[in-house]
Amino acid sequence: MAERILLVEDEEKLARMVEMELKYEGYGVEKAADGRRGLELALGGGFDLVLLDIMLPQLSGMEVLRRLRRESQIPVIMLTARDSVMDKVAGLDSGADDYITKPFAIEELLARIRAALRNKNGQGEENVPLAVGPLVMDVEKHQVTVRGRNVELTKKEFDLLRCLLENKDRVLTRETLLDAVWGFDFVGETNSVDVYIRFLRSKLDDTFGLKLIHTVRGVGYVIKEES
Ligand code: CA
């Protein structure tokens, strides 16, 4: 499944150029042109990495990073026009994973993105089983169990469940799920998501008498334990 990058950048020309390059490399990309919107999207989940400009309208990149870090350990690469040591130190202190100074070569940005994603995955995140209640997913083994019993899932069902589990307790829109599981080149109906959610419910909730996958009317879906 395509890794998704959130690009928070108010310089439209630069944002468009970076977006094009990232898509060409096979990443999914969403853009925000101000700090407030960027923070909102980042907190909404569904991304693997954030590219965050420092000088932004509404909320500065530093403030976005500070607030994001209260809730999320998603890799963040700061984009800074100011080549000052202060910015770099402040950025790394606030929890940025890396920074790159504008103007930058796209190859360098791509290399830093690959490194940040590798680090994220290398920290064992891929090996830690994703879980909600009695349901456990082992990504490495491509295995899902409920109370220790194996559940057979198709590739799409597995990817969809993985996306939900990675964003446990967070409501994901159909569009986010569609992008994450089917990719941006998917042509079809967003109700594919609903169809596959039904398959998952049948194999998980119905089979085991659970209520893990919840519909949030008019918004999308969330996986969480019954409360
Ligand atoms: Ca800027």
Side-chain angles (χ1 to χ4, degrees):
M1 112 181 155
E3 282 165 312
R4 302 192 73 232
I5 295 176
L6 173 63
L7 172 60
V8 190
E9 170 61 74
D10 60 322
E11 286 166 56
E12 209 184 316
K13 216 173 122 195
L14 177 65
R16 270 208 309 273
M17 188 272 283
V18 171
E19 179 187 30
M20 204 179 70
E21 296 284 353
L22 292 177
K23 283 188 171 170
Y24 183 77
E25 293 296 316
Y27 296 110
V29 182
E30 197 155 337
K31 285 185 300 186
D34 66 72
R36 198 169 296 282
R37 179 73 183 139
L39 179 64
E40 196 179 284
L41 284 171
L43 289 175
F47 294 99
D48 297 289
L49 182 138
V50 181
L51 294 176
L52 182 59
D53 186 26
I54 288 187
M55 301 286 280
L56 286 169
Q58 310 254 9
L59 276 182
S60 78
M62 286 301 175
E63 188 56 25
V64 171
L65 179 63
R66 220 171 49 76
R67 297 196 197 177
L68 180 62
R69 276 291 173 261
R70 289 188 203 142
E71 294 193 31
S72 167
Q73 285 308 311
I74 185 170
V76 175
I77 299 177
M78 306 295 287
L79 310 176
T80 171
R82 294 178 297 170
D83 187 15
S84 83
V85 175
M86 273 309 290
D87 274 354
K88 289 171 184 174
V89 171
L92 295 173
D93 275 353
S94 324
D97 296 82
D98 203 353
Y99 56 85
I100 187 164
T101 307
K102 296 189 221 174
F104 48 78
I106 195 71
E107 291 74 19
E108 189 187 355
L109 179 65
L110 292 172
R112 285 171 187 266
I113 288 172
R114 282 193 297 270
L117 289 171
R118 250 197 328 269
N119 282 344
K120 171 193 172 211
N121 296 336
Q123 278 162 7
E125 198 164 300
E126 295 281 337
N127 297 318
V128 175
L130 297 165
V132 57
L135 185 155
V136 176
M137 171 180 276
D138 188 321
V139 174
E140 293 274 290
K141 293 181 183 163
H142 217 269
Q143 193 180 59
V144 174
T145 58
V146 176
R147 299 192 192 102
R149 270 177 60 194
N150 222 349
V151 183
E152 292 291 333
L153 297 179
T154 64
K155 167 118 180 42
K156 284 283 175 252
E157 291 166 352
F158 187 91
D159 289 348
L160 179 60
L161 181 61
R162 179 180 178 180
C163 188
L164 287 166
L165 285 170
E166 283 173 343
N167 296 281
K168 197 172 106 176
D169 298 323
R170 289 200 173 158
V171 182
L172 299 178
T173 64
R174 287 176 178 77
E175 286 72 24
T176 298
L177 289 166
L178 199 65
D179 287 347
V181 177
W182 280 267
F184 278 82
D185 48 1
F186 177 78
V187 274
E189 302 293 329
T190 49
N191 72 12
S192 301
V193 173
D194 304 304
V195 170
Y196 277 82
I197 287 282
R198 266 207 303 281
F199 292 159
L200 280 181
R201 277 191 173 134
S202 157
K203 289 184 175 182
L204 301 168
D205 286 355
D206 299 351
T207 303
F208 294 95
L210 302 167
K211 186 92 185 70
L212 299 176
I213 301 169
H214 302 258
T215 306
V216 180
R217 205 173 287 272
V219 185
Y221 297 100
V222 57
I223 198 161
K224 60 181 183 184
E225 275 184 85
E226 284 173 281
S227 47

